[in-house]
Amino acid sequence: MARLLRIFCLVLLFVAPSTVFAQPAQFDLVGPTLEVKVTHAGVTLPISQTPNLAAGDELWIKADLPPGQSVHYLLVAAFLRGSTNPPPANWFYRLETWGRKGQDGLKITVPQDAQQVLVFLAPSTGGDFGTLIGAVRGRPGAFVRASQDLNQATLDRSRLDTFLASVRKANPGDPDYLKTISPLLARSLAVKLNPDCFQKMPELQAACLMQGQDSLVLNDGHSTSIVQALTSGNPADLAMQLSASPQAGFGYYSPYVAAAFDIARIMDSLHTAQYQYIPALATTQGDQLSLLLNTPPSFHNPMSVLVAALPAVEPPQAPPLQPVDPKEVYCAERKDLVLPVVGAPLAFSTDYAHDMVLRLKGKDGKTVDLPVKADAEKGGFIADASAISSDNFEGAVTGSLHGFWGFAPFDGPEFQLQTVRPQHWQVVADDEQSLIVGRDDVVHIESQGAACVDSVMVQQASGEPEAAVWKAVPPNQLAVTVPLKSAEPGGVTLLVKQFGAKDADVVPLQAFAQAGHLDSFDFHAGDVSGVLKGTRLDEVAGLTLSGIGFKPGQLTTAHGGDELTLATSDPQAADKLKAGKTVNAKVALKDGRTVRLEVSVGSGRPGAILISKSVQPQASSPPNLIQLTGQDEVPQGAVLTFSIHAQGTTSFSGDAKVEVAAADGTFLTTLTPTSGLVLEDSHVALATLDTGKAFNVSAFGPLRFRIVDDQGASDWQPLATLVRLPTVHDLKCPAGRDQPCQLSGANLFLIDSLSSDAGFDHPVKVPEGFTGYVLAVPHPSAAGRLHVKMHDDPVVVNLISSEK
């Protein structure tokens, strides 16, 4: 272990004595350029499109040196066959780059059993070729490892260069663009992205993203498989352990950094008095290999030999491309069609994948190939869909990527596509009533052509169409924001236009006013009515509970809320609505909407109906000219007697109670067998209510009753209307009808109005809060009667007789 530690320390010293891991192996010196072409089975490709070599391939290699090159370089190509099997001498080829032959280049064939190819550029000396052959044959494992690491570093560097080039060209004045492409670049190229960079000023974001360049590249199984995995063992383990130290960047130890350190160690171990070996990374463009160096070359002993690696001799490793979302549907006729993929960064950073097409099958069975190109900034392959015509395809189409990976045919993943067709859009069920005026609302619409939507316009009932904010919701929906802040309830139209379509699809919608709030529906088994509680219940048109329809009845408002009685005449209500059952009621509103409300059917309650009632005036009351005509009116202070009959399973017993209260709940009294309640039998009871004793002098208005027993309380039922009467003593009228009569008495403020006719064509209104004892009133009718409406029940017309 001590020896391994010393080796690793030597690596650190070789790379950069001052900064060590901070900026390892900076390949930033421009070296010479090589031209390389590969011919396989009669097909020739530039080196940029060749990920691997095979036995029998023909290589053409040429050094592209400037005309004024002062140092003569000897170009040597060497084939290797493993770390423990030195290559034969005839696997080494030389070319003097400065002569006529140097202009023609070196043509060689990959021998059988070869595994790696190295290219050396050595300053010409007397024994240069023999020295190189001896060095490689003497330590083949070191050069095999150098070939592997150079290829690994070259592939990783291609990903890094692609990322940096895209970030550098981003416009600092458009930070949104950088935020958009950076995650796509990171996904496509498998590089590390620092999200904190987007919190900085726009001018500093690009520089932040490019910090620590050599450690941006993450491990990529595909590129590793191309050049074979880096050898494992104690030195590698030690390097990984030390990479967690502060000097090593706390674990930012990418394959690129690993290969750079390994190359430095190997090259240093090959140092001799005559030669030192300098690794050269190759960046490809067409048939050119541009070499980048990390150490300035030396032309004094030890002179520098440049070492570059060509692709390994191995079977082709097809890229493991996968769609980002296999379920997503794409529009085949979209001009900027992008097919997002992951899994193969080299498909974006190199030209290994070439002549790529998206293959579609038409209705006639013929295939159509659309050219595609990998674009890391878009996060996938961009397709040229100009050749697509919806007439040649069904609505749904399956397309697949095809092309070449080097010389080998390549079949990529499949994608689901959609062609443009007129669509029938539907509002999703949950959003049919979601549009409320006074605010911006989101509505979801769906069809089979959602992938091909180009734009959405919204048009109010009165107004021009305007662009709407929308987004696709896979697999077949759109979420559209409809502006309704200043709109009126009514129709709204969406105009959904697809790519290339002449006409937009029309989607009618309905905008509603803000509905009232529904709190609860109180219903008990055996009842024929229930009480709906909430606000704005005047908008309720009906309620359905387990198929039983309820119609609205009396609506009351008190304490800031509404209570609406809803009743049913369906005879199946008792059978379908059992106690303890929980169901969803559907409340229909008058504007056509429906609102769901969870209802729990309560246990059965006691019930009773009113049989009859009678009123006995107060015995000590003074004579009064007012005669009440309403059958339900009860003078305040009178005794009200009424009889009730038990309903259903209800029966009266010694603990029976009858409650009588005002309709608004302001006063209440309870009658029991010991206080005003007499049981005729278990089904009939007579109740006597002395209104003068039970209620104070300010009590008035509708009265209602209910029975209460150990099972609960029955529904409230109307009983009578309590009316306070003024005391009218006298009505005196002059002989001439042009003079008013004089009505005298006490508490005359309890009169609402008076008239000589029953229709109240010419009423005399009593002033509010009248405190006098005499009123000027019209002459009575021919029958000697004056018509009067009371303050406590102004609907009923009562009488005042001029005769006592």
Side-chain angles (χ1 to χ4, degrees):
M1 178 58 72
R3 178 176 176 272
L4 296 178
L5 182 60
R6 288 196 298 273
I7 292 175
F8 194 81
C9 291
L10 288 174
V11 174
L12 304 188
L13 293 174
F14 179 84
V15 176
S18 60
T19 58
V20 191
F21 284 89
Q23 292 292 333
Q26 290 293 313
F27 287 87
D28 53 4
L29 295 177
V30 177
T33 299
L34 301 177
E35 296 182 27
V36 183
K37 294 180 182 179
V38 182
T39 301
H40 175 86
V43 178
T44 300
L45 292 178
I47 191 62
S48 63
Q49 295 182 355
T50 307
N52 66 284
L53 301 174
D57 286 353
E58 296 180 0
L59 303 181
W60 176 79
I61 307 173
K62 176 187 175 183
D64 189 5
L65 300 174
Q69 177 70 34
S70 60
V71 176
H72 290 174
Y73 271 108
L74 181 69
L75 186 152
V76 178
F79 293 99
L80 308 174
R81 57 183 181 185
S83 60
T84 62
N85 192 5
N90 62 354
W91 279 19
F92 293 82
Y93 303 86
R94 58 174 289 168
L95 175 69
E96 295 177 351
T97 61
W98 60 91
R100 182 180 58 81
K101 292 184 178 180
Q103 299 300 316
D104 295 336
L106 178 66
K107 293 183 179 180
I108 56 178
T109 300
V110 178
Q112 191 69 32
D113 298 328
Q115 298 178 10
Q116 293 86 22
V117 187
L118 286 176
V119 177
F120 300 89
L121 282 175
S124 178
T125 63
D128 44 21
F129 186 56
T131 300
L132 287 175
I133 293 177
V136 175
R137 287 172 54 87
R139 298 187 62 185
F143 286 95
V144 167
R145 180 65 176 270
S147 173
Q148 294 173 343
D149 288 348
L150 282 171
N151 273 305
Q152 179 71 62
T154 295
L155 296 177
D156 290 341
R157 177 64 181 254
S158 71
R159 293 154 57 195
L160 176 63
D161 288 345
T162 303
F163 175 79
L164 297 178
S166 295
V167 172
R168 286 191 184 104
K169 73 179 182 181
N171 182 3
D174 187 9
D176 290 338
Y177 176 73
L178 191 58
K179 287 183 180 180
T180 300
I181 68 168
S182 294
L184 297 176
L185 286 170
R187 185 187 72 193
S188 301
L189 299 169
V191 299
K192 187 164 62 263
L193 191 66
N194 183 4
D196 294 338
C197 292
F198 297 113
Q199 306 301 320
K200 298 181 180 293
M201 297 174 57
E203 294 79 4
L204 303 178
Q205 290 178 3
C208 176
L209 290 173
M210 294 187 290
Q211 287 179 354
Q213 296 179 8
D214 295 331
S215 60
L216 290 176
V217 180
L218 301 176
N219 188 30
D220 167 43
H222 182 226
S223 59
T224 301
S225 69
I226 291 178
V227 298
Q228 301 179 5
L230 295 177
T231 56
S232 59
N234 291 333
D237 294 338
L238 178 62
M240 293 306 294
Q241 292 168 13
L242 293 181
S243 72
S245 66
Q247 293 80 6
F250 292 102
Y252 288 102
Y253 194 76
S254 74
Y256 181 46
V257 177
F261 281 129
D262 220 29
I263 292 168
R265 178 175 62 84
I266 295 169
M267 295 296 101
D268 188 53
S269 70
L270 298 173
H271 182 93
T272 66
Q274 186 177 5
Y275 286 120
Q276 62 175 343
Y277 294 88
I278 297 179
L281 292 188
T283 61
T284 62
Q285 184 173 6
D287 59 3
Q288 291 188 336
L289 285 178
S290 298
L291 303 184
L292 296 175
L293 312 178
N294 70 339
T295 302
S298 172
F299 299 100
H300 297 287
N301 286 336
M303 289 186 287
S304 299
V305 178
L306 309 185
V307 184
L310 296 186
V313 183
E314 62 179 1
Q317 303 285 339
L321 280 178
Q322 298 293 331
V324 172
D325 184 357
K327 296 181 180 180
E328 187 166 354
V329 180
Y330 304 91
C331 183
E333 298 178 62
R334 184 168 182 166
K335 293 182 179 179
D336 56 347
L337 173 60
V338 177
L339 303 174
V341 294
V342 293
L346 297 182
F348 296 97
S349 64
T350 70
D351 295 331
Y352 293 162
H354 59 92
D355 297 318
M356 297 293 294
V357 297
L358 176 65
R359 184 162 297 164
L360 307 175
K361 191 173 183 179
K363 292 189 294 187
D364 56 3
K366 297 180 179 179
T367 59
V368 176
D369 287 346
L370 304 180
V372 296
K373 182 180 179 182
D375 189 329
E377 293 184 14
K378 300 293 185 180
F381 283 85
I382 301 177
D384 180 4
S386 57
I388 286 289
S389 173
S390 58
D391 297 335
N392 297 333
F393 296 91
E394 301 290 349
V397 184
T398 298
S400 56
L401 287 178
H402 298 274
F404 289 89
W405 185 257
F407 293 99
F410 166 64
D411 296 325
E414 292 186 345
F415 297 88
Q416 304 302 315
L417 296 102
Q418 180 74 40
T419 57
V420 173
R421 289 284 190 279
Q423 298 295 327
H424 176 63
W425 294 91
Q426 289 185 324
V427 180
V428 299
D430 291 342
D431 286 0
E432 289 179 350
Q433 302 167 16
S434 65
L435 295 182
I436 306 299
V437 296
R439 68 190 187 196
D440 293 346
D441 260 326
V442 176
V443 63
H444 291 78
I445 59 176
E446 60 184 355
S447 82
Q448 295 302 314
C452 284
V453 172
D454 183 24
S455 65
V456 179
M457 307 287 285
V458 59
Q459 185 174 19
Q460 308 287 349
S462 59
E464 296 295 324
E466 57 180 309
V469 177
W470 63 279
K471 66 177 181 179
V473 180
N476 55 5
Q477 290 186 3
L478 300 181
V480 184
T481 300
V482 183
L484 298 172
K485 288 184 178 179
S486 58
E488 296 292 332
V492 180
T493 302
L494 294 183
L495 304 174
V496 183
K497 194 171 186 302
Q498 300 183 72
F499 289 102
K502 181 180 179 181
D503 300 317
D505 300 320
V506 178
V507 186
L509 305 175
Q510 182 71 24
F512 300 94
Q514 180 67 51
H517 180 70
L518 303 181
D519 294 327
S520 63
F521 181 59
D522 294 335
F523 182 81
H524 292 264
D527 287 359
V528 295
S529 66
V531 177
L532 182 65
K533 297 179 180 180
T535 59
R536 295 299 307 275
L537 301 186
D538 55 309
E539 299 177 351
V540 174
L543 181 147
T544 303
L545 192 63
S546 291
I548 306 298
F550 290 78
K551 294 183 178 180
Q554 184 180 9
L555 174 66
T556 59
T557 300
H559 308 296
D562 294 345
E563 291 189 2
L564 177 64
T565 300
L566 294 109
T568 181
S569 58
D570 193 327
Q572 297 183 357
D575 295 330
K576 290 186 176 182
L577 302 176
K578 299 293 186 180
K581 186 177 183 180
T582 299
V583 293
N584 281 324
K586 183 184 293 185
V587 182
L589 304 183
K590 293 178 181 178
D591 60 9
R593 281 178 291 177
T594 57
V595 181
R596 296 189 178 276
L597 180 66
E598 187 176 273
V599 176
S600 295
V601 179
S603 58
R605 301 182 300 165
I609 60 172
L610 183 66
I611 300 175
S612 64
K613 61 185 175 184
S614 62
V615 178
Q616 181 180 356
Q618 187 176 4
S620 60
S621 60
N624 202 329
L625 298 182
I626 296 180
Q627 301 175 17
L628 297 179
T629 61
Q631 294 181 354
D632 290 330
E633 290 185 316
V634 177
Q636 213 280 345
V639 176
L640 172 63
T641 301
F642 60 97
S643 58
I644 55 177
H645 193 288
Q647 294 290 296
T649 60
T650 303
S651 61
F652 296 129
S653 61
D655 58 355
K657 296 179 182 179
V658 175
E659 293 182 347
V660 180
D664 60 4
T666 54
F667 53 87
L668 178 146
T669 189
T670 302
L671 305 177
T672 66
T674 60
S675 176
L677 187 63
V678 177
L679 303 183
E680 179 176 317
D681 52 37
S682 60
H683 297 291
V684 178
L686 278 76
T688 301
L689 174 64
D690 188 336
T691 60
K693 294 180 179 179
F695 309 125
N696 60 47
V697 295
S698 295
F700 68 93
L703 299 177
R704 56 183 183 174
F705 79 94
R706 68 178 181 181
I707 62 174
V708 180
D709 61 15
D710 54 1
Q711 293 186 353
S714 68
D715 285 333
W716 288 105
Q717 297 189 54
L719 178 59
T721 301
L722 186 63
V723 179
R724 296 168 297 172
L725 297 180
T727 301
V728 178
H729 303 303
D730 195 13
L731 177 62
K732 295 181 179 180
C733 296
R737 296 190 66 85
D738 57 341
Q739 297 294 323
C741 301
Q742 298 293 321
L743 181 70
S744 60
N747 298 327
L748 297 179
F749 66 90
L750 295 173
I751 298 176
D752 178 76
S753 57
L754 303 100
S755 176
S756 59
D757 61 281
F760 275 69
D761 294 331
H762 303 286
V764 173
K765 188 75 172 176
V766 177
E768 186 175 348
F770 183 72
T771 58
Y773 295 92
V774 178
L775 278 172
V777 299
H779 281 259
S781 63
R785 295 178 176 177
L786 193 62
H787 299 85
V788 60
K789 292 182 178 180
M790 307 309 300
H791 171 274
D792 297 346
D793 192 13
V795 176
V796 178
V797 177
N798 299 294
L799 298 174
I800 295 179
S801 176
S802 59
E803 297 181 358
K804 296 183 181 179

